[in-house]
């Protein structure tokens, strides 16, 4: 067999001579989990290290199935002025591929019916909520906590990607047994109105809500 010599590019040669190059450092290579398998969302969408933006889920489905949640006790709440925030490792958010800046008029900005038509049934979200409460170590009344879409459905969040759902505790001072009532909901509504009126872009609103919902409006100059 004839041996063919090929020149090694100077940049690659320098890398090899110094410390070696790791393929994991390149954008687009799959992130490995603890068992060495590629990290992926419930829909099988892999997450790449260094990827820019929020993960994208499977989008609305005709039939939803109960999604596996993070291990019990593996997630920790953060708090901003007493308000609960998600664990970004467990709940980074996930968007729906069906909702883009170009499809606003036919999805989240249409007059009615979008979110109701894509919301998973309680037979799916009920078991998920109980499992996610264990993930976060939430021990309060489940009826007082919202199984919340971090990127809300009205902002193009994925309906049933586990990366986009978390058990959100009630606000400080909430009376036990009085049901769900939190300050994140009106923030989502104002962001939705801003997106549909053209005051901000869909991506900007989504990024603001996953960064810190308590500062999302001020970050975008909306309040």
């Amino acid at each position: 067999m004839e041996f063919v010599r090929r020149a090694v590019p100077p940049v690659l040669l320098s890398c090899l001579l110094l410390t070696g190059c790791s393929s994991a450092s390149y954008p687009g290579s799959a992130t490995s989990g603890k068992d060495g398998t590629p990290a992926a969302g419930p829909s099988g969408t892999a997450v790449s290290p260094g990827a820019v933006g929020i993960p994208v889920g499977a989008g609305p489905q005709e039939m939803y199935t109960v999604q596996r949640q993070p291990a019990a006790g593996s997630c920790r709440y953060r708090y901003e002025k007493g308000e609960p925030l998600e664990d970004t490792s467990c709940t980074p958010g996930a968007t729906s591929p069906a909702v883009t800046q170009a499809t606003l008029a036919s999805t989240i900005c249409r007059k009615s019916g979008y979110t109701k038509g894509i919301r998973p049934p309680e037979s799916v979200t009920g078991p998920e909520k109980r499992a996610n409460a264990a993930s976060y170590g939430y021990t309060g009344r489940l009826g007082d906590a919202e199984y919340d879409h971090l990127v809300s459905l009205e902002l193009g969040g994925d309906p049933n990607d586990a990366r986009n759902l978390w058990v959100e505790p009630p606000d400080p001072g909430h009376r036990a047994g009085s049901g769900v009532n939190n300050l994140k909901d009106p923030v989502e509504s104002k962001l939705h109105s801003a997106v549909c009126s053209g005051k901000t872009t869909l991506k900007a609103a989504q990024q603001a809500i996953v960064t810190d919902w308590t500062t999302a409006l001020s970050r975008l100059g909306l309040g």
Side-chain angles (χ1 to χ4, degrees), residues 14 26 134 139 142 154 178 188 196 199 207 219:
S14 298
Y26 291 103
T139 57
L142 278 181
E154 63 182 333
S178 60
E188 295 168 347
C196 293
K199 292 181 179 178
Q207 190 60 58
R219 182 183 297 271

Side-chain angles (χ1 to χ4, degrees), residues 165-189:
L165 284 153
W166 63 303
V167 170
E168 180 186 3
D171 289 328
H174 183 80
R175 181 169 58 84
S178 60
V180 173
N181 180 22
N182 61 64
L183 294 178
K184 182 171 180 282
D185 289 345
V187 170
E188 295 168 347
S189 296

Side-chain angles (χ1 to χ4, degrees), residues 132-143:
N132 189 268
S135 302
Y136 272 90
Y138 176 78
T139 57
R141 293 172 180 259
L142 278 181

Side-chain angles (χ1 to χ4, degrees), residues 69-137:
Q69 303 298 310
S74 64
C75 308
R76 297 287 183 273
Y77 291 114
R78 300 173 294 131
Y79 289 88
E80 181 67 33
K81 296 181 180 178
E83 293 291 343
L85 278 72
E86 77 291 344
D87 184 323
T88 56
S89 296
C90 294
T91 317
T95 61
S96 169
V99 183
T100 66
Q101 192 69 32
T103 64
L104 292 179
S106 61
T107 55
I108 64 172
C109 295
R110 72 189 193 203
K111 289 187 176 181
S112 63
Y114 176 74
T115 60
K116 183 179 180 180
I118 65 168
R119 194 177 295 276
E122 197 278 333
S123 60
V124 169
T125 59
E128 290 178 349
K129 182 177 182 179
R130 291 190 290 274
N132 189 268
S135 302
Y136 272 90

